[in-house]
PDB file of all heavy atoms in Angstrom:
ATOM      1  N   ALA B 609       5.923  31.674 -24.650  1.00  0.00           N
ATOM      2  CA  ALA B 609       5.207  32.321 -23.557  1.00  0.00           C
ATOM      3  C   ALA B 609       3.760  31.849 -23.631  1.00  0.00           C
ATOM      4  O   ALA B 609       3.196  31.712 -24.723  1.00  0.00           O
ATOM      5  CB  ALA B 609       5.281  33.840 -23.681  1.00  0.00           C
ATOM      6  N   VAL B 610       3.185  31.588 -22.480  1.00  0.00           N
ATOM      7  CA  VAL B 610       1.842  31.018 -22.459  1.00  0.00           C
ATOM      8  C   VAL B 610       1.013  31.611 -21.326  1.00  0.00           C
ATOM      9  O   VAL B 610       1.548  31.945 -20.264  1.00  0.00           O
ATOM     10  CB  VAL B 610       1.920  29.464 -22.359  1.00  0.00           C
ATOM     11  CG1 VAL B 610       2.519  29.015 -21.051  1.00  0.00           C
ATOM     12  CG2 VAL B 610       0.589  28.806 -22.590  1.00  0.00           C
ATOM     13  N   ILE B 611      -0.264  31.765 -21.591  1.00  0.00           N
ATOM     14  CA  ILE B 611      -1.250  32.078 -20.558  1.00  0.00           C
ATOM     15  C   ILE B 611      -2.169  30.868 -20.490  1.00  0.00           C
ATOM     16  O   ILE B 611      -2.749  30.467 -21.506  1.00  0.00           O
ATOM     17  CB  ILE B 611      -2.060  33.346 -20.887  1.00  0.00           C
ATOM     18  CG1 ILE B 611      -1.151  34.574 -20.921  1.00  0.00           C
ATOM     19  CG2 ILE B 611      -3.196  33.539 -19.862  1.00  0.00           C
ATOM     20  CD1 ILE B 611      -1.842  35.855 -21.365  1.00  0.00           C
ATOM     21  N   MET B 612      -2.273  30.282 -19.323  1.00  0.00           N
ATOM     22  CA  MET B 612      -3.122  29.105 -19.152  1.00  0.00           C
ATOM     23  C   MET B 612      -4.534  29.550 -18.794  1.00  0.00           C
ATOM     24  O   MET B 612      -4.725  30.410 -17.936  1.00  0.00           O
ATOM     25  CB  MET B 612      -2.555  28.187 -18.073  1.00  0.00           C
ATOM     26  CG  MET B 612      -1.146  27.669 -18.375  1.00  0.00           C
ATOM     27  SD  MET B 612      -1.008  26.741 -19.922  1.00  0.00           S
ATOM     28  CE  MET B 612      -1.756  25.181 -19.457  1.00  0.00           C
ATOM     29  N   ASP B 613      -5.505  28.962 -19.457  1.00  0.00           N
ATOM     30  CA  ASP B 613      -6.900  29.326 -19.235  1.00  0.00           C
ATOM     31  C   ASP B 613      -7.363  28.974 -17.822  1.00  0.00           C
ATOM     32  O   ASP B 613      -8.243  29.624 -17.272  1.00  0.00           O
ATOM     33  CB  ASP B 613      -7.788  28.631 -20.275  1.00  0.00           C
ATOM     34  CG  ASP B 613      -9.135  29.296 -20.424  1.00  0.00           C
ATOM     35  OD1 ASP B 613      -9.183  30.543 -20.430  1.00  0.00           O
ATOM     36  OD2 ASP B 613     -10.139  28.568 -20.540  1.00  0.00           O
ATOM     37  N   ASP B 614      -6.744  27.949 -17.238  1.00  0.00           N
ATOM     38  CA  ASP B 614      -7.139  27.530 -15.897  1.00  0.00           C
ATOM     39  C   ASP B 614      -6.243  28.125 -14.803  1.00  0.00           C
ATOM     40  O   ASP B 614      -6.286  27.684 -13.659  1.00  0.00           O
ATOM     41  CB  ASP B 614      -7.213  26.006 -15.785  1.00  0.00           C
ATOM     42  CG  ASP B 614      -5.972  25.282 -16.292  1.00  0.00           C
ATOM     43  OD1 ASP B 614      -5.104  25.917 -16.919  1.00  0.00           O
ATOM     44  OD2 ASP B 614      -5.880  24.064 -16.072  1.00  0.00           O
ATOM     45  N   ASP B 615      -5.482  29.153 -15.127  1.00  0.00           N
ATOM     46  CA  ASP B 615      -4.700  29.901 -14.137  1.00  0.00           C
ATOM     47  C   ASP B 615      -5.530  31.112 -13.728  1.00  0.00           C
ATOM     48  O   ASP B 615      -5.680  32.053 -14.510  1.00  0.00           O
ATOM     49  CB  ASP B 615      -3.361  30.346 -14.725  1.00  0.00           C
ATOM     50  CG  ASP B 615      -2.521  31.174 -13.757  1.00  0.00           C
ATOM     51  OD1 ASP B 615      -2.938  31.372 -12.597  1.00  0.00           O
ATOM     52  OD2 ASP B 615      -1.438  31.639 -14.172  1.00  0.00           O
ATOM     53  N   PRO B 616      -6.095  31.122 -12.535  1.00  0.00           N
ATOM     54  CA  PRO B 616      -6.964  32.228 -12.135  1.00  0.00           C
ATOM     55  C   PRO B 616      -6.267  33.583 -12.129  1.00  0.00           C
ATOM     56  O   PRO B 616      -6.913  34.620 -12.254  1.00  0.00           O
ATOM     57  CB  PRO B 616      -7.441  31.847 -10.730  1.00  0.00           C
ATOM     58  CG  PRO B 616      -6.612  30.710 -10.290  1.00  0.00           C
ATOM     59  CD  PRO B 616      -5.945  30.118 -11.489  1.00  0.00           C
ATOM     60  N   GLN B 617      -4.941  33.588 -12.027  1.00  0.00           N
ATOM     61  CA  GLN B 617      -4.192  34.847 -12.024  1.00  0.00           C
ATOM     62  C   GLN B 617      -3.830  35.315 -13.434  1.00  0.00           C
ATOM     63  O   GLN B 617      -3.357  36.439 -13.603  1.00  0.00           O
ATOM     64  CB  GLN B 617      -2.939  34.715 -11.168  1.00  0.00           C
ATOM     65  CG  GLN B 617      -3.260  34.466  -9.706  1.00  0.00           C
ATOM     66  CD  GLN B 617      -2.008  34.223  -8.883  1.00  0.00           C
ATOM     67  OE1 GLN B 617      -0.888  34.347  -9.366  1.00  0.00           O
ATOM     68  NE2 GLN B 617      -2.202  33.855  -7.630  1.00  0.00           N
ATOM     69  N   GLY B 618      -4.020  34.476 -14.444  1.00  0.00           N
ATOM     70  CA  GLY B 618      -3.755  34.860 -15.823  1.00  0.00           C
ATOM     71  C   GLY B 618      -2.319  35.270 -16.084  1.00  0.00           C
ATOM     72  O   GLY B 618      -2.055  36.143 -16.909  1.00  0.00           O
ATOM     73  N   ARG B 619      -1.376  34.612 -15.411  1.00  0.00           N
ATOM     74  CA  ARG B 619       0.038  34.968 -15.544  1.00  0.00           C
ATOM     75  C   ARG B 619       0.606  34.541 -16.896  1.00  0.00           C
ATOM     76  O   ARG B 619       0.124  33.592 -17.497  1.00  0.00           O
ATOM     77  CB  ARG B 619       0.859  34.294 -14.438  1.00  0.00           C
ATOM     78  CG  ARG B 619       0.517  34.799 -13.050  1.00  0.00           C
ATOM     79  CD  ARG B 619       1.137  33.923 -12.008  1.00  0.00           C
ATOM     80  NE  ARG B 619       0.297  32.718 -11.885  1.00  0.00           N
ATOM     81  CZ  ARG B 619       0.407  31.823 -10.905  1.00  0.00           C
ATOM     82  NH1 ARG B 619       1.345  31.969  -9.990  1.00  0.00           N
ATOM     83  NH2 ARG B 619      -0.387  30.777 -10.860  1.00  0.00           N
ATOM     84  N   ILE B 620       1.656  35.238 -17.310  1.00  0.00           N
ATOM     85  CA  ILE B 620       2.426  34.829 -18.487  1.00  0.00           C
ATOM     86  C   ILE B 620       3.604  34.005 -17.985  1.00  0.00           C
ATOM     87  O   ILE B 620       4.409  34.472 -17.186  1.00  0.00           O
ATOM     88  CB  ILE B 620       2.925  36.048 -19.289  1.00  0.00           C
ATOM     89  CG1 ILE B 620       1.740  36.804 -19.894  1.00  0.00           C
ATOM     90  CG2 ILE B 620       3.907  35.593 -20.383  1.00  0.00           C
ATOM     91  CD1 ILE B 620       2.123  38.059 -20.659  1.00  0.00           C
ATOM     92  N   TRP B 621       3.676  32.757 -18.449  1.00  0.00           N
ATOM     93  CA  TRP B 621       4.749  31.832 -18.098  1.00  0.00           C
ATOM     94  C   TRP B 621       5.651  31.677 -19.324  1.00  0.00           C
ATOM     95  O   TRP B 621       5.158  31.681 -20.454  1.00  0.00           O
ATOM     96  CB  TRP B 621       4.172  30.474 -17.735  1.00  0.00           C
ATOM     97  CG  TRP B 621       3.219  30.484 -16.583  1.00  0.00           C
ATOM     98  CD1 TRP B 621       1.871  30.720 -16.635  1.00  0.00           C
ATOM     99  CD2 TRP B 621       3.517  30.238 -15.212  1.00  0.00           C
ATOM    100  NE1 TRP B 621       1.327  30.622 -15.388  1.00  0.00           N
ATOM    101  CE2 TRP B 621       2.310  30.330 -14.487  1.00  0.00           C
ATOM    102  CE3 TRP B 621       4.687  29.930 -14.522  1.00  0.00           C
ATOM    103  CZ2 TRP B 621       2.242  30.131 -13.117  1.00  0.00           C
ATOM    104  CZ3 TRP B 621       4.624  29.732 -13.154  1.00  0.00           C
ATOM    105  CH2 TRP B 621       3.413  29.832 -12.464  1.00  0.00           C
ATOM    106  N   THR B 622       6.940  31.514 -19.114  1.00  0.00           N
ATOM    107  CA  THR B 622       7.852  31.404 -20.254  1.00  0.00           C
ATOM    108  C   THR B 622       8.788  30.209 -20.133  1.00  0.00           C
ATOM    109  O   THR B 622       9.047  29.710 -19.037  1.00  0.00           O
ATOM    110  CB  THR B 622       8.714  32.681 -20.403  1.00  0.00           C
ATOM    111  OG1 THR B 622       9.509  32.857 -19.234  1.00  0.00           O
ATOM    112  CG2 THR B 622       7.847  33.903 -20.655  1.00  0.00           C
ATOM    113  N   GLY B 623       9.288  29.786 -21.285  1.00  0.00           N
ATOM    114  CA  GLY B 623      10.277  28.715 -21.346  1.00  0.00           C
ATOM    115  C   GLY B 623      11.166  28.923 -22.553  1.00  0.00           C
ATOM    116  O   GLY B 623      10.797  29.630 -23.493  1.00  0.00           O
ATOM    117  N   ALA B 624      12.332  28.318 -22.521  1.00  0.00           N
ATOM    118  CA  ALA B 624      13.279  28.387 -23.635  1.00  0.00           C
ATOM    119  C   ALA B 624      13.755  26.978 -23.961  1.00  0.00           C
ATOM    120  O   ALA B 624      13.664  26.072 -23.127  1.00  0.00           O
ATOM    121  CB  ALA B 624      14.475  29.265 -23.258  1.00  0.00           C
ATOM    122  N   ASN B 625      14.273  26.812 -25.167  1.00  0.00           N
ATOM    123  CA  ASN B 625      14.775  25.500 -25.544  1.00  0.00           C
ATOM    124  C   ASN B 625      16.129  25.223 -24.906  1.00  0.00           C
ATOM    125  O   ASN B 625      16.866  26.140 -24.545  1.00  0.00           O
ATOM    126  CB  ASN B 625      14.866  25.368 -27.073  1.00  0.00           C
ATOM    127  CG  ASN B 625      15.891  26.286 -27.703  1.00  0.00           C
ATOM    128  OD1 ASN B 625      15.921  27.478 -27.418  1.00  0.00           O
ATOM    129  ND2 ASN B 625      16.722  25.735 -28.568  1.00  0.00           N
ATOM    130  N   SER B 626      16.419  23.941 -24.752  1.00  0.00           N
ATOM    131  CA  SER B 626      17.717  23.486 -24.246  1.00  0.00           C
ATOM    132  C   SER B 626      18.239  22.428 -25.203  1.00  0.00           C
ATOM    133  O   SER B 626      17.544  21.458 -25.487  1.00  0.00           O
ATOM    134  CB  SER B 626      17.570  22.859 -22.856  1.00  0.00           C
ATOM    135  OG  SER B 626      17.115  23.806 -21.934  1.00  0.00           O
ATOM    136  N   GLU B 627      19.451  22.633 -25.691  1.00  0.00           N
ATOM    137  CA  GLU B 627      20.089  21.659 -26.577  1.00  0.00           C
ATOM    138  C   GLU B 627      21.310  21.110 -25.855  1.00  0.00           C
ATOM    139  O   GLU B 627      22.200  21.857 -25.473  1.00  0.00           O
ATOM    140  CB  GLU B 627      20.482  22.329 -27.893  1.00  0.00           C
ATOM    141  CG  GLU B 627      19.279  22.830 -28.659  1.00  0.00           C
ATOM    142  CD  GLU B 627      19.636  23.601 -29.912  1.00  0.00           C
ATOM    143  OE1 GLU B 627      20.841  23.747 -30.206  1.00  0.00           O
ATOM    144  OE2 GLU B 627      18.717  24.061 -30.582  1.00  0.00           O
ATOM    145  N   MET B 628      21.333  19.818 -25.648  1.00  0.00           N
ATOM    146  CA  MET B 628      22.368  19.163 -24.849  1.00  0.00           C
ATOM    147  C   MET B 628      23.473  18.565 -25.715  1.00  0.00           C
ATOM    148  O   MET B 628      23.324  18.413 -26.916  1.00  0.00           O
ATOM    149  CB  MET B 628      21.746  18.049 -24.004  1.00  0.00           C
ATOM    150  CG  MET B 628      20.553  18.459 -23.185  1.00  0.00           C
ATOM    151  SD  MET B 628      21.017  19.700 -21.977  1.00  0.00           S
ATOM    152  CE  MET B 628      19.423  20.153 -21.356  1.00  0.00           C
ATOM    153  N   SER B 629      24.558  18.186 -25.065  1.00  0.00           N
ATOM    154  CA  SER B 629      25.676  17.541 -25.757  1.00  0.00           C
ATOM    155  C   SER B 629      25.251  16.226 -26.382  1.00  0.00           C
ATOM    156  O   SER B 629      25.699  15.867 -27.462  1.00  0.00           O
ATOM    157  CB  SER B 629      26.820  17.270 -24.779  1.00  0.00           C
ATOM    158  OG  SER B 629      27.307  18.463 -24.250  1.00  0.00           O
ATOM    159  N   VAL B 630      24.392  15.490 -25.689  1.00  0.00           N
ATOM    160  CA  VAL B 630      23.875  14.236 -26.214  1.00  0.00           C
ATOM    161  C   VAL B 630      22.649  14.571 -27.049  1.00  0.00           C
ATOM    162  O   VAL B 630      21.666  15.113 -26.539  1.00  0.00           O
ATOM    163  CB  VAL B 630      23.492  13.262 -25.079  1.00  0.00           C
ATOM    164  CG1 VAL B 630      22.879  12.002 -25.644  1.00  0.00           C
ATOM    165  CG2 VAL B 630      24.712  12.947 -24.227  1.00  0.00           C
ATOM    166  N   LEU B 631      22.736  14.291 -28.337  1.00  0.00           N
ATOM    167  CA  LEU B 631      21.624  14.617 -29.218  1.00  0.00           C
ATOM    168  C   LEU B 631      20.341  13.944 -28.757  1.00  0.00           C
ATOM    169  O   LEU B 631      20.359  12.858 -28.190  1.00  0.00           O
ATOM    170  CB  LEU B 631      21.958  14.216 -30.654  1.00  0.00           C
ATOM    171  CG  LEU B 631      23.148  14.962 -31.265  1.00  0.00           C
ATOM    172  CD1 LEU B 631      23.436  14.440 -32.664  1.00  0.00           C
ATOM    173  CD2 LEU B 631      22.908  16.463 -31.287  1.00  0.00           C
ATOM    174  N   ASN B 632      19.235  14.590 -28.981  1.00  0.00           N
ATOM    175  CA  ASN B 632      17.894  14.124 -28.615  1.00  0.00           C
ATOM    176  C   ASN B 632      17.630  14.159 -27.117  1.00  0.00           C
ATOM    177  O   ASN B 632      16.626  13.625 -26.661  1.00  0.00           O
ATOM    178  CB  ASN B 632      17.608  12.715 -29.149  1.00  0.00           C
ATOM    179  CG  ASN B 632      17.613  12.670 -30.653  1.00  0.00           C
ATOM    180  OD1 ASN B 632      17.202  13.627 -31.306  1.00  0.00           O
ATOM    181  ND2 ASN B 632      18.087  11.589 -31.216  1.00  0.00           N
ATOM    182  N   SER B 633      18.503  14.753 -26.330  1.00  0.00           N
ATOM    183  CA  SER B 633      18.223  14.830 -24.896  1.00  0.00           C
ATOM    184  C   SER B 633      17.774  16.233 -24.486  1.00  0.00           C
ATOM    185  O   SER B 633      17.474  16.465 -23.334  1.00  0.00           O
ATOM    186  CB  SER B 633      19.458  14.414 -24.080  1.00  0.00           C
ATOM    187  OG  SER B 633      20.525  15.307 -24.317  1.00  0.00           O
TER     188      SER B 633
END
Side-chain angles (χ1 to χ4, degrees):
V610 65
I611 296 175
M612 300 302 284
D613 200 41
D614 51 350
D615 178 3
Q617 296 175 6
R619 294 169 281 192
I620 294 178
W621 301 87
T622 61
N625 66 311
S626 297
E627 297 175 0
M628 309 297 172
S629 298
V630 177
L631 297 177
N632 297 325
S633 63

